[in-house]
Amino acid sequence: MVGGFTRAISSFTYRTFFKKESTYFTAIVATGVGFSIVFNTAFDKYWNNKTAGTNVVAKKAKSRTIVVRLISAAGTGFTYVKQRPRTAAYRLTMMKFDPIVNKHVLFVENKIK
């Protein structure tokens, strides 16, 4: 770091100011570090006040499908579980086999609770 910095200024300035008066250089660096600490603390307080009460974490996306329960229209209580698109404008109905009545009957959608 110092080597790259010294190339940017003349060797005379480097010899007279940084070598002989190294205490000035230390004071300048210390002042810069102090300013950095004060600035960062002030900015953190400002940012915390600005974002207070807000969720910084992004919300997780909802699934495109939902799980629904198909209940037998025969009233036996037998159910199937299926998936359907979340944005579907219809309720799911299917003709499926109900083993309790030993027939194919209509099954209607009901949400899982």
Side-chain angles (χ1 to χ4, degrees), residues 1-47:
M1 178 70 185
V2 174
F5 182 73
T6 55
R7 287 187 200 109
I9 60 174
S10 69
S11 60
F12 174 75
T13 306
Y14 178 76
R15 282 195 314 272
T16 57
F17 183 73
F18 292 110
K19 289 285 187 176
K20 294 179 182 176
E21 306 292 339
S22 61
T23 55
Y24 291 141
F25 180 70
T26 306
I28 291 169
V29 170
T31 305
V33 170
F35 173 76
S36 173
I37 292 170
V38 170
F39 176 77
N40 287 338
T41 306
F43 181 77
D44 286 344
K45 286 181 183 176
Y46 161 77
W47 187 254

Side-chain angles (χ1 to χ4, degrees), residues 69-80 98-101 105 107:
R69 179 178 286 144
L70 298 174
I71 298 179
S72 172
T76 60
F78 191 77
T79 61
Y80 284 99
D98 189 343
I100 297 175
V101 292
V105 296
F107 280 79

Side-chain angles (χ1 to χ4, degrees), residues 62-66 84-88:
K62 288 187 176 181
S63 174
R64 295 181 65 191
T65 59
I66 58 173
R84 75 163 172 85
R86 179 180 294 277
T87 58

